Every structure is written in structure tokens, then in C-alpha cells.
Amino acid sequence: MSSRAERKRAERERRKQEARQKRKNSWKERIEEFKLNRQGKTKRRRSDVMSRHRRTDRILTLLIAIVTLLLIIAWIFILFI
């Protein structure tokens, strides 16, 4: 039987290895994305994220315009009526 301290140490080492591997993969993916970007291409995941951002941006712009119009109407109503 391994002691509790040994199991903890092993778990900590395993997490360190996973973190290293994740950083390594992240860096490789970033380099690959740069290469694809130079060619005018992007990964599907990256384009999906960007499309979500564009959609959110459009919705926020529309909401700002609506609130501005409502504010103008409210001021006109308050001041002139």
C-alpha cells in the first residue's frame, strides 16, 4: 500500500504533466493557427468563435440603438408634453 503522501505526490506530478502537455498543445495549435492565418484560412473552431462574437456585437449594437431611441422619445415626451 502506498501512503497518502506518496499518492498526493503522484497526483501532483500527474497534474503537472497534464499542464505541461496542455501548454505544449496550446502552443502548437497557436503556431498552426498563425500559419493558416497567413494563408487566409482559419480553423473551424476559431471561425465559430468569431461568428459568435460578431453575432453578439450585432445584438449589442441593436440594443444600444433601441435604448437610445427610447431615451430620445422619453425626453421629447417629458420636455414637450
Side-chain angles (χ1 to χ4, degrees):
M1 286 253 161
S2 60
S3 69
R4 185 175 176 185
E6 289 174 359
R7 286 191 307 247
K8 254 185 157 176
R9 195 174 315 122
E11 178 67 22
R12 198 176 311 133
E13 284 297 319
R14 186 185 62 78
R15 276 190 261 133
K16 279 185 182 179
Q17 288 292 350
E18 287 175 358
R20 283 185 195 135
Q21 190 66 28
K22 188 175 179 182
R23 281 192 299 265
K24 193 175 184 181
N25 287 343
S26 174
W27 184 249
K28 284 182 181 179
E29 285 180 7
R30 194 174 295 162
I31 289 173
E32 183 182 341
E33 184 69 32
F34 288 145
K35 287 179 183 176
L36 289 172
N37 198 15
R38 282 190 210 124
Q39 298 171 1
K41 303 175 185 174
T42 58
K43 286 185 177 178
R44 178 174 302 211
R45 183 183 63 167
R46 174 84 173 157
S47 62
D48 289 345
V49 169
M50 293 308 291
S51 68
R52 274 186 268 141
H53 284 301
R54 283 189 209 103
R55 188 177 337 127
T56 305
D57 189 35
R58 272 186 257 140
I59 291 171
L60 286 174
T61 304
L62 183 63
L63 286 174
I64 289 171
I66 290 171
V67 168
T68 305
L69 285 173
L70 289 174
L71 185 63
I72 291 170
I73 291 170
W75 274 105
I76 290 172
F77 186 75
I78 290 171
L79 293 175
F80 297 111
I81 295 179

